[in-house]
Amino acid sequence: MMEPPLPYFGGKAKIASYFWKRFGKANIYLEPFAGMAATILLRPTTSFPTSSRETINDNDAMIANFFRSLKIAPEEVFENAEDPPIEVELVARQRAIVEGRDRLQKMLVDVNFCDPKLAGWFMYCRAHAVRPRSKSNKPELDKPSFHAGGMLSKKRRDNGLEEVTAFKERLRDVRICFGDYKRLLVDAEVKVPKAHIVAILADPPYRKTGTMYAEKQFDHAPLLERCVELGRRENVRIALCGYWGDYTMPDDWTVERWYPKKKSLETVWYSPACKHPEMSSNWENKAVVGNVFEEMYAEPPRHPLERLFSILRREEVED
């Protein structure tokens, strides 16, 4: 397991372990809205079955350029990212990122193309910004954060290039797509033998904060319809993320808040096949959550006199 390269607004690094407890040993893993791929990077090694395939996707050209630039020109990416947290630089680079997206969208079709300077600026802004720029463009959001995040943080920046190597190694066999999320939710992607498990993390732009991600409002209706349809399959496990009250899912879906005691708005809806590992009697992945599964599968404790009682019972039956 490894930490994501950059902080990402709406990222699920803090609860990635809970997803894998629900997903178990998934043969197919699909993540249509990957962002910085925190959940797949934090996947426990014990959650891999003998045969597995992983696919992540994001339609943000800036993310695609960042991943490709890390692969092709990591030194140049860091060269354009390792600058002091200066407000005017943050504002200027944010503007360049917004203006550069359309150009990248067209240029990335060339497999040899990348823009490491823009990738470095993207890294700089993600590491130092308090939060993504919203439509309101509030001045207080332009000020750099006190603490850089991701690979530019104090504890990680000296080993940044080494992390890039590990990052590329982890994603070496992961299929990375760049486009509409719907392409990952077609029947061909989830067609597996009945004994195999398909896990899907659906983390779309939230309804209340969707404009922080893009100018165009995200249409949730097709995604919800497809999730409900796929969620009826016994071997498909879906985690749908949003804010409390965002969705009305079928009654057999499980609703959980991140921090129930604090009445957090962050919420996950789990499809019926996402058995709770501490409650299920047929959960196949014994190692994901440690001793919980060991206890589940262990024989019940025997009373010291149980063997004697069983012998006496047999003798009574024989008599």
Side-chain angles (χ1 to χ4, degrees):
M1 296 190 294
M2 59 184 300
E3 295 182 67
L6 293 175
Y8 195 79
F9 189 75
K12 297 300 181 289
K14 292 182 178 179
I15 61 167
S17 61
Y18 292 96
F19 294 140
W20 292 113
K21 290 176 185 179
R22 293 282 191 171
F23 291 156
K25 284 189 174 181
N27 300 88
I28 303 294
Y29 175 67
L30 303 173
E31 189 172 346
F33 311 91
M36 283 293 110
T39 301
I40 197 171
L41 292 174
L42 291 168
R43 181 174 185 174
T45 55
T46 51
S47 72
F48 286 93
T50 305
S51 172
S52 66
R53 297 201 310 268
E54 298 173 308
T55 301
I56 60 177
N57 171 81
D58 203 289
N59 68 350
D60 188 343
M62 203 59 59
I63 291 177
N65 179 65
F66 176 70
F67 284 166
R68 186 180 288 180
S69 297
L70 279 185
K71 178 180 179 180
I72 298 175
E75 293 86 358
E76 194 172 346
V77 173
F78 275 87
E79 183 180 343
N80 286 278
E82 293 181 322
D83 291 314
I86 304 172
E87 182 174 353
V88 68
E89 285 295 324
L90 193 60
V91 173
R93 296 183 190 192
Q94 290 274 25
R95 183 178 295 117
I97 287 171
V98 172
E99 295 173 353
R101 273 195 169 90
D102 289 339
R103 176 178 63 85
L104 286 178
Q105 196 89 22
K106 300 172 183 176
M107 298 296 292
L108 286 170
V109 294
D110 179 356
V111 295
N112 296 311
F113 171 82
C114 71
D115 189 332
K117 175 183 284 189
L118 206 54
W121 289 355
F122 175 76
M123 185 177 185
Y124 176 89
C125 292
R126 286 289 173 180
H128 293 293
V130 175
R131 65 189 303 180
R133 293 291 298 275
S134 63
K135 279 187 177 181
S136 61
N137 291 326
K138 297 180 181 179
E140 60 267 26
L141 299 183
D142 292 333
K143 293 185 295 186
S145 170
F146 280 106
H147 305 286
M151 290 190 292
L152 294 184
S153 64
K154 290 182 179 180
K155 67 177 182 178
R156 297 172 63 184
R157 62 191 178 195
D158 291 338
N159 300 312
L161 291 177
E162 289 81 356
E163 281 201 36
V164 171
T165 301
F167 180 74
K168 292 191 291 185
E169 179 65 22
R170 171 61 183 90
L171 297 181
R172 183 175 61 176
D173 296 323
V174 177
R175 182 176 57 161
I176 302 177
C177 296
F178 168 51
D180 194 326
Y181 76 90
K182 296 174 185 175
R183 301 185 305 156
L184 258 66
L185 301 182
V186 296
D187 287 341
E189 294 287 345
V190 298
K191 188 177 181 180
V192 295
K194 289 185 178 180
H196 285 195
I197 299 299
V198 177
I200 302 173
L201 174 59
D203 185 18
Y206 290 1
R207 282 182 166 170
K208 295 183 176 67
T209 57
T211 53
M212 289 185 177
Y213 299 84
E215 291 293 319
K216 185 178 179 181
Q217 188 69 33
F218 183 81
D219 184 6
H220 293 80
L223 174 63
L224 299 183
E225 182 179 353
R226 185 56 173 160
C227 284
V228 170
E229 182 181 354
L230 291 174
R232 297 192 184 103
R233 306 186 186 189
E234 294 182 357
N235 64 336
V236 176
R237 298 171 179 173
I238 304 173
L240 172 65
C241 304
Y243 276 149
W244 183 260
D246 272 358
Y247 311 126
T248 302
M249 304 301 285
D251 292 339
D252 54 356
W253 283 59
T254 302
V255 186
E256 286 189 352
R257 297 194 186 196
W258 283 25
Y259 307 108
K261 294 182 180 179
K262 297 181 180 180
K263 295 185 178 181
S264 170
L265 288 177
E266 294 278 0
T267 307
V268 182
W269 287 260
Y270 292 103
S271 64
C274 291
K275 306 292 185 180
H276 195 296
E278 297 183 22
M279 297 172 62
S280 172
S281 60
N282 61 348
W283 192 260
E284 81 288 5
N285 186 6
K286 303 180 185 180
V288 174
V289 292
N291 292 333
V292 172
F293 291 109
E294 296 295 335
E295 296 170 2
M296 184 187 303
Y297 281 83
E299 292 186 6
R302 294 175 177 269
H303 191 279
L305 297 178
E306 182 176 347
R307 180 173 174 76
L308 176 60
F309 293 154
S310 63
I311 294 175
L312 292 175
R313 283 195 295 271
R314 285 200 301 270
E315 290 178 350
E316 291 175 356
V317 172
E318 290 175 358
D319 292 342

